[in-house]
Amino acid sequence: MSGDRPLTSKIVKAFLEGNLAILIIIISLLAGLTALLMTPREEDPQIVVPVADVYVTYPGGSAAEVEQMVSSRLEKLLYQIDGVEYVYSMSRPGSAVVTVRFFVGEPREDSLIKLYNKLFSNIDEVTPGITAWVVKPVEIDDVPIITTTLYSDRYGTHELYRTAEEVVDHLQQIKDSARITIHGGQPRVANVYLDNERLSAYGLSHTGIISAIRASNVQVEAGAFDQADKSIRVAAGPFFQDIGDLKQLMIGVHQNLPVFLRDVAEIRDGPDEITTYTRLGYGPGSGNPLDSFEAVTVAVAKKTGTNAVNVARQVRSRIEALKGSVIADEINISITRDYGQTANEKVNNLVTSLGLAIATVIGLLSLVMGWRSGIIVAIAVPITYSLTLLFNMYIGYTINRVTLFALILTIGLLVDDPIVGVENIYRHLRMQVQPAKEAILTAMDEIMPPVVLSTLAVIVSFVPMFYITGMMGPYMAPMAINVPVAVFFSTVVALTITPVLSKMILRVDPNEKKPPDVKQTRMYAIYSRLMNPLIESRRRSYVLLVVTAILFFLSVGLPATGLVPLKMLPFDNKNEIQIVIDMPESVTLENTDGIVRKVEDYLRTQAEVTDFSSYVGTSSPMDFNSMIRQYYMRQGPHVADIRVNLIHHTKRAHDSHAFVLRIRDDIDRIARETGANIKLVEMPPGPPVLATVVAEVYGGPHHSYDDLIRASEVVRARMHQEEGVVDIDTSVEADMPRLFFHVDREKAAL
């Protein structure tokens, strides 16, 4: 009769008669532990963001001239590249930024090669006057995984910046570290303050001085010559070594006497002019004094595919080692971001959740079928996770929040197959109708068809996720793959491992009373009493189906009526938020800083706030959300960022979204009082986007830019009328005064 058994039964029989199952258990658990330890851990998935910014310098051109002579031409050129989805630009006096965005899924390296090829193959058509351009790709690994803030109540931002430069040199030695940036501070410069009266007395001009400094600050290889049977290399220069070289620089001749730079200028070696303000402040949640300090931030990114946890730990260790030597005792250090730590916490939470799930299953099965059945399921679930993690490592996925979300989601699915198998095997063994081996085969024959069908149903239900378009597609790919793979391995384990474990672990006393017939149980009696009236009466059956259909359509209609909010992903309970402040372009740095200080004073009243870093006039370290929003390009006296860190989510009564909702009215009040545009930005639960709702305004060839601005104001006013729409802003720059000197060229020449 064995030849009449289905394929699944033959597989079960083969494993029951050999020791292969034991070997698979040992290998899979060891492989899973290896995958858990070796797979890189990080906060966000390694999605490919095929975006590149092209920076173009066009000195002297107005915004309109730059738009017409540079941006428009470059847009048309770059849009010819195969695979480009969007091309948009920003034109400013003297410069332009053109952003190229390829379709999601386009190979990053191939896309960049196409971009460079298009630019350099058309170099002969470059607009005269363009002095330089540079292409800067944007990718997920540009996001710093850890930021270290140096602050002091003794030293200013100039000393902190010089210390940060030394710190960067040491951190760059970490094997897997990538781009390291410094945010805030005043770099060291040599300031040359010219004396106009002395310049006039010596008959010199400002442009002549600038040209002399540029021409002298060079070092070049001048070739080589042979002498005395030796080859001697010649170099000319060198660069200026200190301000003493600048003072000794000869810039002209007056009355047959040399004129040095020190004769017409005061030269100082020191900090650059203040163009930014950066501070670190503490809130009530830190336990530190509620004060702010001048600060400079060092942001460290990692290489592609490396473990964020290891890199972050190495950065922390290296920083600690630099204390007292490179970092002075009076300089304090605060880790204001550590995505390695948060990623590690989420992985550990997964392991904890897995342990709780196993403990729960063991407890429930012990109450119903005994502890032996619980042990079988407790072994089957880790084997399934081990195989899934091994598969993830093989295909190159990291352990991130999307992967973890998928694995946690499958906990409820993975226990079904082993529970069904163990329960039916245990029932047949207690019946004692067949020998143990035959009873196991019979039990598995009964359940495998529905188990296989349920597995196929789960896999098919996740197939549509492979066809999600846009940025959400690659972002959700780990879930689209991990859930079907985990369920598939769960079925494989139920088919191969569970029967063998049942044969080894389950014990039935031959003297034990046989279980009663199913129809004699109380559960069957209750179920029959409920269902028989519905089954025996056709009218009642139709009524049940109609009521079920009505309830189904009512549930589907709940999101359409707004009674139940409909979202793609739930809000994540983060430990950080961002506050973005925009002022009119004519506002000074000091006025913007004054508004930032008001927001800081308010944050000190919030119990959940541990610390906040303020960046006035410059951008804060880029995060996952900033890649598409291009917050890293924010520069100027009218912009500011505040990075707010909250108490760990396990110690807060409200999640981060509830905190933002609570403070929104107070922040809006500050914005109205100061005339600022203040936006509260949360880390999105999904991929980065420009905004929740984006309206693009286009016009025809006969429409001017002023027409588009007026149309955008109409759209903006309409959005203000929508309930739930907040933080509305446009890309239009505010009017600002500008002085333009029209030079009389004839008089200037005379």
Side-chain angles (χ1 to χ4, degrees), residues 135-258:
V135 178
K136 288 191 176 182
V138 180
E139 56 180 325
I140 181 66
D141 288 302
D142 289 333
V143 176
I145 63 167
I146 184 170
T147 58
T148 302
T149 301
L150 310 177
Y151 67 98
S152 174
D153 55 359
R154 175 179 177 181
Y155 297 115
T157 54
H158 174 54
E159 292 81 4
L160 293 174
Y161 186 90
R162 298 195 64 180
T163 302
E165 288 181 313
E166 295 290 331
V167 171
V168 168
D169 290 339
H170 287 80
L171 295 182
Q172 202 70 71
Q173 300 172 12
I174 296 176
K175 178 182 177 182
D176 293 325
S177 65
R179 185 185 181 193
I180 303 179
T181 55
I182 300 176
H183 299 262
Q186 298 170 265
R188 178 188 179 188
V189 296
N191 293 294
V192 179
Y193 299 96
L194 297 175
D195 189 318
N196 293 327
E197 294 183 358
R198 292 184 180 181
L199 286 175
S200 300
Y202 288 112
L204 300 173
S205 65
H206 293 77
T207 55
I209 300 296
I210 295 173
S211 299
I213 294 175
R214 287 177 176 172
S216 301
N217 190 33
V218 294
Q219 180 170 322
V220 296
E221 294 292 330
F225 66 91
D226 297 334
Q227 184 179 22
D229 200 23
K230 293 182 180 179
S231 179
I232 302 174
R233 301 186 62 84
V234 180
F239 296 113
F240 295 135
Q241 301 299 314
D242 51 36
I243 61 172
D245 293 343
L246 275 174
K247 293 179 178 180
Q248 292 296 116
L249 176 63
M250 180 177 171
I251 56 175
V253 177
H254 182 71
Q255 296 180 357
N256 295 324
L257 295 176

Side-chain angles (χ1 to χ4, degrees), residues 474-512:
Y475 186 86
M476 298 302 295
M479 180 177 293
I481 291 177
N482 273 277
V483 175
V485 167
V487 175
F488 170 77
F489 282 133
S490 176
T491 304
V492 172
V493 170
L495 182 64
T496 59
I497 306 299
T498 303
V500 177
L501 292 176
S502 299
K503 178 184 175 182
M504 297 173 57
I505 298 176
L506 292 182
R507 295 288 184 270
V508 177
D509 187 357
N511 299 321
E512 182 182 358

Side-chain angles (χ1 to χ4, degrees), residues 114-388:
K114 293 177 184 178
L115 176 59
Y116 278 102
N117 181 60
K118 178 61 71 172
L119 287 173
F120 285 97
S121 62
N122 292 273
I123 197 169
D124 57 322
E125 300 180 12
V126 171
T127 301
I130 292 179
T131 58
W133 69 80
V134 62
V135 178
K136 288 191 176 182
V138 180
E139 56 180 325
I140 181 66
D141 288 302
D142 289 333
V143 176
I145 63 167
I146 184 170
T147 58
T148 302
T149 301
L150 310 177
Y151 67 98
S152 174
D153 55 359
R154 175 179 177 181
Y155 297 115
T157 54
H158 174 54
E159 292 81 4
L160 293 174
Y161 186 90
R162 298 195 64 180
T163 302
E165 288 181 313
E166 295 290 331
V167 171
V168 168
D169 290 339
H170 287 80
L171 295 182
Q172 202 70 71
Q173 300 172 12
I174 296 176
K175 178 182 177 182
D176 293 325
S177 65
R179 185 185 181 193
I180 303 179
T181 55
I182 300 176
H183 299 262
Q186 298 170 265
R188 178 188 179 188
V189 296
N191 293 294
V192 179
Y193 299 96
L194 297 175
D195 189 318
N196 293 327
E197 294 183 358
R198 292 184 180 181
L199 286 175
S200 300
Y202 288 112
L204 300 173
S205 65
H206 293 77
T207 55
I209 300 296
I210 295 173
S211 299
I213 294 175
R214 287 177 176 172
S216 301
N217 190 33
V218 294
Q219 180 170 322
V220 296
E221 294 292 330
F225 66 91
D226 297 334
Q227 184 179 22
D229 200 23
K230 293 182 180 179
S231 179
I232 302 174
R233 301 186 62 84
V234 180
F239 296 113
F240 295 135
Q241 301 299 314
D242 51 36
I243 61 172
D245 293 343
L246 275 174
K247 293 179 178 180
Q248 292 296 116
L249 176 63
M250 180 177 171
I251 56 175
V253 177
H254 182 71
Q255 296 180 357
N256 295 324
L257 295 176
V259 180
F260 299 97
L261 185 59
R262 66 173 183 266
D263 297 328
V264 296
E266 180 183 358
I267 306 170
R268 299 176 187 172
D269 180 1
D272 196 1
E273 294 183 1
I274 296 177
T275 57
T276 63
Y277 290 115
T278 49
R279 288 185 300 275
L280 174 70
Y282 286 104
S286 65
N288 294 321
L290 304 183
D291 200 358
S292 293
F293 306 90
E294 292 185 327
V296 172
T297 300
V298 178
V300 183
K302 69 177 185 64
K303 293 180 180 178
T304 303
T306 56
N307 196 324
V309 178
N310 293 339
V311 176
R313 286 174 177 171
Q314 292 181 58
V315 170
R316 284 177 174 267
S317 176
R318 189 64 61 90
I319 290 293
E320 288 295 324
L322 296 177
K323 289 182 178 179
S325 55
V326 174
I327 303 175
D329 294 333
E330 294 82 1
I331 296 178
N332 301 309
I333 301 171
S334 177
I335 303 297
T336 48
R337 175 194 296 177
D338 191 346
Y339 287 164
Q341 183 180 22
T342 55
N344 198 44
E345 286 180 358
K346 291 185 177 182
V347 176
N348 294 336
N349 288 338
L350 170 65
V351 177
T352 303
S353 300
L354 176 60
L356 291 175
I358 293 173
T360 303
V361 169
I362 293 176
L364 292 176
L365 291 182
S366 298
L367 292 175
V368 179
M369 294 185 294
W371 63 270
R372 295 179 183 272
S373 300
I375 291 295
I376 296 173
V377 178
I379 296 175
V381 173
I383 293 174
T384 303
Y385 268 117
S386 297
L387 296 173
T388 306

Side-chain angles (χ1 to χ4, degrees), residues 519-646:
K519 295 184 178 181
Q520 298 176 2
T521 60
R522 178 174 298 179
M523 181 65 68
Y524 183 83
I526 296 174
Y527 184 76
S528 299
R529 194 172 298 173
L530 290 174
M531 295 303 299
N532 281 339
L534 299 175
I535 297 174
E536 294 171 353
S537 172
R538 182 178 296 272
R539 180 173 175 274
R540 291 172 182 169
S541 299
Y542 281 121
V543 170
L544 175 62
L545 293 176
V546 171
V547 171
T548 303
I550 293 174
L551 293 176
F552 171 76
F553 286 109
L554 286 176
S555 63
V556 172
L558 289 176
T561 58
L563 297 176
V564 175
L566 186 62
K567 293 176 85 276
M568 180 67 180
L569 293 170
F571 286 110
D572 196 0
N573 189 9
K574 292 286 187 178
N575 296 326
E576 61 175 334
I577 65 169
Q578 182 181 8
I579 301 177
V580 177
I581 301 176
D582 290 307
M583 295 292 290
E585 279 69 15
S586 59
V587 170
T588 63
L589 182 69
E590 286 69 24
N591 286 336
T592 305
D593 185 58
I595 297 171
V596 171
R597 290 182 181 274
K598 290 184 178 181
V599 178
E600 290 177 349
D601 292 339
Y602 172 76
L603 292 175
R604 291 192 187 93
T605 65
Q606 302 303 307
E608 294 89 343
V609 175
T610 58
D611 60 79
F612 46 84
S613 302
S614 302
Y615 304 86
V616 187
T618 186
S619 61
S620 62
M622 183 173 68
D623 60 14
F624 189 60
N625 197 32
S626 302
M627 291 192 301
I628 300 301
R629 298 192 179 191
Q630 297 182 319
Y631 284 160
Y632 54 87
M633 296 175 59
R634 291 167 53 83
Q635 300 288 333
H638 61 287
V639 300
D641 283 359
I642 303 177
R643 294 279 180 178
V644 183
N645 289 324
L646 307 177

